[in-house]
Amino acid sequence: MNLAVLVSGNGTNLQSIINAIDSKELQNTRICIVIADRDCYALERSIDRDINTFLVERNKDLSSEIDILLSSENIDLIILAGFLSILSANFCEKWKGKIINIHPSLLPKFGGKGMYGEKVHQAVLDAGETESGATVHYVTPEVDEGDIIVQGNFPVEKGDTVTDLQQKVMHTEQKILIEAINKISSGIKN
Ligand code: GRF
């Protein structure tokens, strides 16, 4: 599988893909291209590994610029790994079934536009949830609404803070992202 990974942040999910390729947990898989929509640590992780890496501007042409970059590679799967920009409906339609996203909650709970990062964990705590988790799902033009591929959950303990939930989610995401890529590469859609 030829992967494209889109990033905006720390790149822990990008790193877990790199590690899984190194450890052969992901086989016959390579990251062909990493694209960031802002200067971020994920870019350093990518450049360090000599992966073809690009930084695109956050403007109205973002989706078409990404599309052009992807079209020069033979991409099987696009992974939004902490990518914060919203891709155009045209882009999502064109790559339908080939784009996945990782979201830090048990969708459909706590998803949608504006629900990212700490906001998700704060909402989980405010709602008094007793469990939370992460979801890998297909990307459609409607934010966080595509078919679910894999979910992983964990208990929310009394006294847990946003930081505690971030740690637990990170751990869960690393596991389910690799599981989802393996599932897709073996032909299981969801
Ligand atoms: C993750 O929590 C992911 O669920 C969300 O953004 C965060 C990205 O983290 N979409 P990183 O950049 O992979 O470290």
Side-chain angles (χ1 to χ4, degrees):
M1 289 244 290
N2 287 339
L3 307 182
V5 185
L6 275 52
V7 294
S8 302
N10 191 29
T12 47
N13 284 301
L14 167 65
Q15 191 65 51
S16 67
I17 301 170
I18 293 172
N19 295 347
I21 291 172
D22 285 350
S23 69
K24 307 236 180 321
E25 205 185 326
L26 280 177
Q27 293 185 4
N28 302 318
T29 302
R30 74 186 185 102
I31 303 174
C32 297
I33 184 168
V34 167
I35 304 171
D37 67 346
R38 66 200 72 200
D39 192 18
C40 58
Y41 186 56
L43 277 176
E44 285 184 39
R45 297 186 195 258
S46 176
I47 291 165
D48 272 0
R49 292 296 297 243
D50 286 328
I51 301 168
N52 209 6
T53 306
F54 294 88
L55 173 60
V56 291
E57 268 187 56
R58 274 178 285 149
N59 58 28
K60 61 172 180 38
D61 299 325
L62 175 102
S63 298
S64 52
E65 277 182 31
I66 293 174
D67 187 45
I68 291 166
L69 290 171
L70 296 177
S71 302
S72 60
E73 309 278 339
N74 190 16
I75 298 300
D76 299 304
L77 187 64
I78 304 166
I79 301 170
L80 308 187
F83 188 67
L84 292 176
S85 291
I86 307 285
L87 293 160
S88 71
N90 275 350
F91 182 96
C92 296
E93 283 301 332
K94 176 174 173 186
W95 293 95
K96 198 174 171 188
K98 286 189 171 189
I99 327 178
I100 64 172
N101 179 45
I102 182 144
H103 182 82
S105 78
L106 290 172
L107 290 174
K109 285 185 166 181
F110 309 106
K113 222 169 176 173
M115 268 297 191
Y116 61 88
E118 293 184 3
K119 290 184 193 173
V120 175
H121 306 309
Q122 191 58 59
V124 167
L125 292 176
D126 292 346
E129 296 288 308
T130 54
E131 68 163 8
S132 189
T135 305
V136 181
H137 65 94
Y138 286 103
V139 172
T140 60
E142 301 75 31
V143 179
D144 296 333
E145 288 187 15
D147 288 345
I148 291 172
I149 306 159
V150 189
Q151 286 191 307
N153 59 346
F154 53 79
V156 177
E157 317 277 357
K158 243 193 162 115
D160 269 356
T161 61
V162 165
T163 313
D164 295 324
L165 296 192
Q166 266 172 337
Q167 290 298 324
K168 292 186 195 184
V169 157
M170 203 191 293
H171 190 74
T172 306
E173 285 182 340
Q174 289 173 3
K175 191 170 149 282
I176 65 170
L177 182 55
I178 305 309
E179 217 177 302
I181 299 170
N182 268 326
K183 219 172 150 179
I184 294 166
S185 84
S186 56
I188 306 168
K189 279 224 80 173
N190 48 40

